[in-house]
Amino acid sequence: MQRVKHNWLNLTLAHTALIAYTIIALFPVVVILVNSFKTRKAIFREPLALPNSETFSLVGYETVLKQGDYFGYFQNSLIVTVGSLFFILLFGAMAAFALSEYRFRGNTLMGLYLAIGIMIPIRLGTVAILQFMVAAGLVNTLTALILVYTASGLPLSVFILSEFMRQVSADLKDAGRIDGLSEYRIFFQLVLPLVRPALATVAVFNMIPIWNDLWFPLILAPGEDTKTLTLGSQVFIGQFVTDWNAVLSGLSLAILPVMILYVIFSKQLIRGITSGAVK
Amino acid sequence: MGSLTLKNIRKSFGQVEVLHDINLEVEEGEFVIFVGPSGCGKSTLLRIIAGLENATSGDVIIGGERVNHLPPSKRGIAMVFQTYALYPHLTVAKNMSLGLKQAGESASVIAERVKMAAGMLELEPYLQRRPAELSGGQRQRVAIGRAIVRDPKLFLFDEPLSNLDAALRVNTRIEIAGLHRRLGTTIIYVTHDQVEAMTLADRIVVLQGGNVEQVGSPMELYNDPDNIFVAGFIGSPAMNFLDARLLDMPPEVKTIGLRPEAISLGDDGPIAGEISHLEHLGADTNVYVHVNDKLLTVRLFGQHDYEVGSTVRLCFSPESVFRFDVEGKRIR
Ligand SMILES: Nc1ncnc2c1ncn2[C@@H]1O[C@H](COP(=O)(O)OP(=O)(O)OP(=O)(O)O)[C@@H](O)[C@H]1O
Ligand SMILES: [Mg+2]
């Protein structure tokens, strides 16, 4: 009896806390979504009210889709984010595999060297990066952004992935070697599927800062053809006048792709945890 | 074909040398078991034979061919791991056939070999399942099947039974013995369970601290151990060791050894002790006797009853006494 009561109390408290947190976290998103469907006047008069027949308006979305190459920006953001994630995961996992699997002189030192990047913000090197990109002729290309994000994402991903890879059964890799699998196939077919939860974690960690970044697109790729969504949306925020309808609509649209990517990764993440891969 | 020779094998991890100059000859078709306490280098030696680890120096010769520089898949070996190490994403059939597929065997040969191995190990009903859908014993059989399918010159087993429960362990042990009889392939088998070693091996290699202490058939090791370590390691319950001064011995003898089953209890014997505990096993009775602060085990055949605390004398024939010198070497 005592136990049941205790559990019930715990459960209520836990759920109250979680629900409260959910509301706090979702509130701004909901406000953005709701207001993106309202007229400018309604946004300011009653920011929390739902749109009704009088205040409903799609003018924000119309502006966003008409002005500038919104789909182009979208595409750029998507290419940069997905491309960077791909290289972060690929190179990060490869480096992590080497660090965790092979004994070589300087292994620990190499691990530390790669981990230092976690503590040094890449923006400190902006000037040098810009000079480098100018010299390489990569200014105003998406490649420049992908290179920079890959470099900045690698340290943490190597760090996390090598921890996980150490836990993959050594016998399994050895069984692969005896069966004649190459080190590449051992890596891609045996080890990577088993660290999928870690890959998903790294992907989620890296995805949102890349998608939202304004700094490097502004410096390295401000041209019309290479503008990312975040940078493209800035046209609606002026020094004197801000087109709030357009800003809110633009933000609402920008949420969608990250959400889709997140759902894909988190599904992987949960599947990885629950399937209990080995043994 | 399936012979194995190890010549002056040494292995160091960094500064630490874990194998010191190992030499061994294994003949075609032999069942050889490495035993020894934890950390003595059994697995390391097996991995060097497999090619998963490079020896610091020395030669590995399989079937007359020096294989030092061949990768594991080219050495004609197959290995069964303690943790089974099945590929989690492949079915049983694919687990077994991957090695052959890598080696470029034709589909018909692969199918035939998998069928043969599955038949031998009674795995036919499970061929399309994944490892996660099998019991521990079935997984171990798949791991053995994966080794058989490769048709190796040399089987390597690293503690294959230690993750199984007691009943299954006995069954699988018998199965492995039967397999060896049928296939006639050379087997190197690592265990720290000396019952497994005694029951399966043609020859046992006793390792300690990276050295080979003795090599011999189970009965040779039991009846004629070279030193105090082998005498104590082989046999269960373990041999009793006593100070030689208890008996009338030449001065160079430091320690004497008595097998629990070589002692009987009576009224007249050279050594007296006090009974401290009894274990009734049905077929045997283990009697623990205190002699000068030392606890001796006496194994009596059949069922016996003694009063705890009573004084008894230990009787044994003089030939059953093993004598060891200061360094633990046997004095014959
Ligand atoms: N990769 C490694 N790096 C450093 N030392 C190692 C490594 N592998 C093994 N050793 C050391 O080598 C020694 C022998 O290890 P090994 O695994 O061969 O022991 P074992 O006889 O198989 O023991 P167990 O019965 O516990 O399996 C141990 O002292 C171990 O610490
Ligand atoms: Mg071992």
Side-chain angles (χ1 to χ4, degrees), chain B residues 79-81 84-86 121 123 138-148:
Chain B
M79 190 156 170
V80 177
F81 297 89
Y84 320 138
L86 301 178
L121 296 162
L123 285 169
Q138 288 162 348
R139 281 178 216 177
Q140 190 53 279
R141 292 217 298 279
V142 175
I144 294 173
R146 180 169 65 181
I148 294 176

Side-chain angles (χ1 to χ4, degrees), chain B residues 2-63:
Chain B
S3 64
L4 167 74
T5 308
L6 300 178
K7 269 194 198 152
N8 307 101
I9 297 284
R10 288 173 183 276
K11 176 70 186 174
S12 306
F13 289 111
Q15 299 296 315
V16 194
E17 189 168 270
V18 297
L19 292 176
H20 320 285
D21 198 22
I22 306 274
N23 286 286
L24 185 68
E25 291 270 357
V26 177
E27 283 177 24
E28 158 112 54
E30 250 189 319
F31 198 136
V32 170
I33 292 193
F34 296 169
V35 286
S38 190
C40 69
K42 308 179 293 286
S43 298
T44 307
L45 188 54
L46 198 71
R47 291 166 56 80
I48 287 173
I49 298 171
L52 294 169
E53 202 85 66
N54 283 324
T56 308
S57 68
D59 289 328
V60 180
I61 296 161
I62 297 176

Side-chain angles (χ1 to χ4, degrees), chain B residues 283-321:
Chain B
D284 301 326
T285 308
N286 289 339
V287 184
Y288 294 93
V289 183
H290 255 304
V291 177
N292 295 352
D293 295 345
K294 277 212 156 173
L295 197 60
L296 265 62
T297 317
V298 177
R299 184 177 178 195
L300 302 175
F301 188 68
Q303 303 178 2
H304 300 266
D305 234 338
Y306 290 94
E307 205 170 312
V308 170
S310 60
T311 307
V312 287
R313 299 195 77 84
L314 309 178
C315 312
F316 46 85
S317 72
E319 304 87 71
S320 65
V321 179

Side-chain angles (χ1 to χ4, degrees), chain A residues 101-120:
Chain A
E101 181 63 16
Y102 304 126
R103 282 192 303 269
F104 55 90
R105 195 185 291 276
N107 181 317
T108 322
L109 221 61
M110 181 72 90
L112 277 177
Y113 170 69
L114 287 175
I116 285 175
I118 299 172
M119 288 161 269
I120 300 176

Side-chain angles (χ1 to χ4, degrees), chain B residues 42-43 82 158-159 190:
Chain B
K42 308 179 293 286
S43 298
Q82 179 179 355
D158 194 354
E159 308 205 22
V190 166

Side-chain angles (χ1 to χ4, degrees), chain A residues 213-273:
Chain A
D213 190 37
L214 184 58
W215 181 266
F216 283 113
L218 192 60
I219 291 166
L220 296 179
E224 183 61 25
D225 286 346
T226 51
K227 262 187 194 161
T228 61
L229 197 54
T230 324
L231 186 54
S233 304
Q234 301 306 309
V235 297
F236 304 116
I237 299 180
Q239 193 175 354
F240 306 108
V241 199
T242 296
D243 184 345
W244 285 107
N245 294 82
V247 169
L248 294 178
S249 307
L251 283 175
S252 302
L253 286 175
I255 292 171
L256 279 177
V258 230
M259 227 151 78
I260 292 167
L261 280 179
Y262 183 82
V263 167
I264 292 171
F265 286 130
S266 63
K267 212 170 171 182
Q268 283 293 321
L269 198 147
I270 289 160
R271 194 188 297 161
I273 290 167

